[in-house]
Amino acid sequence: MSPFKRGAVGGAIGRLLFPPVCPGCQAAITGVDTVCPACWAKLRFIERPYCEGLGLPFGYDLGAGFLSAAAIADPPPFARLRAAVIYQDLAARLVTALKYGDRTDLVPLMAGWMARSGAELLGDADVVVPVPLHAGRLWRRRFNQSAEIARLLARNADIAFAPLALRRVKPTRSQVGLGSRQRRDNVRGAFRVIDARRQEIDGRHVLLVDDVYTTGATAASATRALKRAGAKDVDVLTFARVAAGME
């Protein structure tokens, strides 16, 4: 039997023994990398119209290239942000399950939605870089959820992947529960591109990948480090983002 046929048979047996279930409620579903209709209704996907800079959804179309008040008042150092869903309800639970529950099986689902929302950014990118964890936190957590998502995005889009280019050199405290100013102070100077990896960034259009965008402090700090290393431009792609007024 050919390797292809063996794989097909093995997959069929696996689906028979372990039928796919919804990652949101564990109900039986017909295929993998999706959710059931009830959980689908709990997700708020971000579609146009939205702020071209920060990806904030608008209630109505304000015209091409329109920026939100937040992007005008405090322009981010990156060029564009895109996120697949609003960070609430099921989306928040999926992020928590991946990050703290070792649910790496969620990566294809999340990366698939991100690839759809960030198709334009992926098309422009020369290299994909995940937001890194500090070495101590990576040792405790065993994997970097952003790197796992970024790895799959880069592979599926056939883009260079540079997981070691950006390093978190400052052991920052968790951003959970911190206000906007505290978050900025917490991650100030936290990232650096080491000289040995500079050629992976210099002159290239970088796509920075993370799981959640809240106040933007982490993305901004990481972007500045990439630009100091010579990045031509930086876009940011996340699975979820906090909606306006929810920071």
Side-chain angles (χ1 to χ4, degrees):
M1 184 181 293
S2 71
F4 176 81
K5 289 183 178 179
R6 284 199 301 271
V9 171
I13 294 174
R15 287 191 294 274
L16 179 64
L17 296 176
F18 306 101
V21 296
C22 173
C25 66
Q26 304 305 304
I29 53 178
T30 57
V32 296
D33 301 340
T34 187
V35 296
C36 71
C39 285
W40 184 270
K42 298 176 183 177
L43 293 164
R44 183 183 171 190
F45 286 90
I46 300 175
E47 307 281 355
R48 278 193 163 89
Y50 50 63
C51 168
E52 291 299 322
L54 292 175
L56 278 166
F58 293 139
Y60 52 91
D61 195 348
L62 297 170
F66 201 87
L67 296 176
S68 62
I72 295 171
D74 187 16
F78 49 81
R80 298 170 294 181
L81 166 72
R82 298 291 181 266
V85 294
I86 295 295
Y87 184 68
Q88 61 184 20
D89 300 330
L90 177 58
R93 287 192 281 120
L94 291 175
V95 169
T96 300
L98 172 60
K99 185 180 295 188
Y100 302 114
D102 294 343
R103 289 289 308 275
T104 53
D105 58 296
L106 296 174
V107 168
L109 172 74
M110 298 166 76
W113 292 344
M114 291 168 67
R116 176 178 173 272
S117 63
E120 184 180 5
L121 276 58
L122 285 162
D124 292 339
D126 298 314
V127 60
V128 176
V129 175
V131 171
L133 294 175
H134 187 265
R137 184 167 295 170
L138 179 60
W139 184 85
R140 292 191 297 273
R141 195 177 291 175
R142 300 187 300 280
F143 72 97
N144 176 1
Q145 73 283 352
S146 299
E148 296 306 309
I149 294 172
R151 188 189 317 278
L152 187 56
L153 285 167
R155 186 178 72 193
N156 289 345
D158 194 24
I159 303 170
F161 178 51
L164 302 179
L166 186 63
R167 180 176 295 179
R168 191 183 290 249
V169 295
K170 177 182 172 183
T172 56
R173 58 184 290 198
S174 172
Q175 297 277 69
V176 176
L178 300 182
S180 298
R181 179 171 295 179
Q182 291 173 311
R183 284 172 178 261
R184 287 194 297 269
D185 292 343
N186 189 39
V187 295
R188 183 175 291 115
F191 302 98
R192 186 168 66 217
V193 175
I194 61 174
D195 290 341
R197 298 281 177 177
R198 196 181 185 96
Q199 76 279 1
E200 297 178 281
I201 303 300
D202 191 23
R204 310 187 83 182
H205 196 135
V206 178
L207 179 61
L208 181 68
V209 172
D210 205 358
D211 55 350
V212 180
Y213 182 95
T214 50
T215 63
T218 297
S221 181
T223 295
R224 292 187 182 100
L226 290 166
K227 286 192 167 183
R228 285 195 297 270
K232 181 180 179 180
D233 217 339
V234 179
D235 289 321
V236 179
L237 179 59
T238 70
F239 171 68
R241 70 147 298 142
V242 172
M246 293 176 61
E247 291 91 343

